[in-house]
Amino acid sequence: MEMARSSVPLIAVLCVSLLPLAAMAIGTPFHIEGSVYCDTCRFGFETVATKYITGARVRIMCKDRVTLKQDVVGEAVTGHKGIYKVAVKGDRQDQQCFAKLVHSPLRKCQVPDPGRSTATVILTRSNGAASTRHFANAMGFFREEPLRGCAALRRYYLADGDSRAI
């Protein structure tokens, strides 16, 4: 009988102390951060010649795994150095969520790189993640024509960083 009495206050303390934390987690938005760039050499990845885009538009989308219906849950415009930040309310549980390129303000850099035009984002607390701050992989647009010097830059990368290749 003594054992049962001593565990009741412990359970009550745990319930009272964890309830506000759970409530806060449910109402706290996720903060997604990522960047958008112009692939000036059309390599399909970021290089020293990459230009980060100010004023690019990004959309955060979530797709229901059963109905396949997609919803826009957030939008952002990149600021300095091509970085965007967006707050998304609500836990998306088992939905597939991703950031998606929408628009580039650069006239000669408007074609989304098919391999880097979306980035998966995690918008659930059910996976054990404690942080509400999540980072998306960088996304890029292709420049219409590669910049001069991209051939030398390609040789440099293929030479595994040997500075004599430039």
Side-chain angles (χ1 to χ4, degrees):
M1 186 71 170
E2 190 64 36
M3 179 84 143
R5 244 188 244 145
S6 65
S7 62
V8 171
L10 178 62
I11 292 171
V13 168
L14 285 174
C15 287
V16 170
S17 62
L18 293 177
L19 192 58
L21 291 175
M24 182 183 83
I26 291 169
T28 303
F30 291 97
H31 298 278
I32 307 299
E33 185 175 324
S35 62
V36 177
Y37 64 90
C38 178
D39 185 347
T40 55
C41 288
R42 300 181 61 93
F43 287 172
F45 56 88
E46 295 165 90
T47 69
V48 295
T50 294
K51 177 179 174 31
Y52 292 89
I53 304 173
T54 300
R57 282 196 330 242
V58 174
R59 204 170 268 150
I60 307 296
M61 311 275 298
C62 289
K63 179 169 60 172
D64 186 279
R65 291 178 191 263
V66 176
T67 65
L68 302 181
K69 181 178 181 255
Q70 289 189 15
D71 289 319
V72 175
V73 297
E75 292 187 316
V77 175
T78 57
H80 183 65
K81 295 185 181 179
I83 295 172
Y84 67 89
K85 296 179 181 180
V86 60
V88 178
K89 293 180 184 176
D91 191 304
R92 300 297 158 179
Q93 298 168 5
D94 68 342
Q95 293 182 349
Q96 295 174 317
C97 300
F98 54 94
K100 180 179 180 175
L101 293 175
V102 176
H103 173 75
S104 168
L106 301 180
R107 188 174 52 83
K108 292 184 177 184
C109 196
Q110 294 197 346
V111 177
D113 173 350
R116 302 289 298 267
S117 62
T118 63
T120 299
V121 294
I122 306 298
L123 296 176
T124 186
R125 292 175 181 85
S126 65
N127 63 357
S131 176
T132 59
R133 189 172 180 203
H134 296 238
F135 295 91
N137 287 339
M139 299 182 293
F141 290 94
F142 280 139
R143 189 173 192 279
E144 283 178 11
E145 295 292 324
L147 293 175
R148 287 190 193 127
C150 287
L153 187 58
R154 181 177 298 275
R155 284 191 303 276
Y156 171 75
Y157 283 119
L158 291 174
D160 200 22
D162 184 356
S163 61
R164 294 173 294 184
I166 295 183

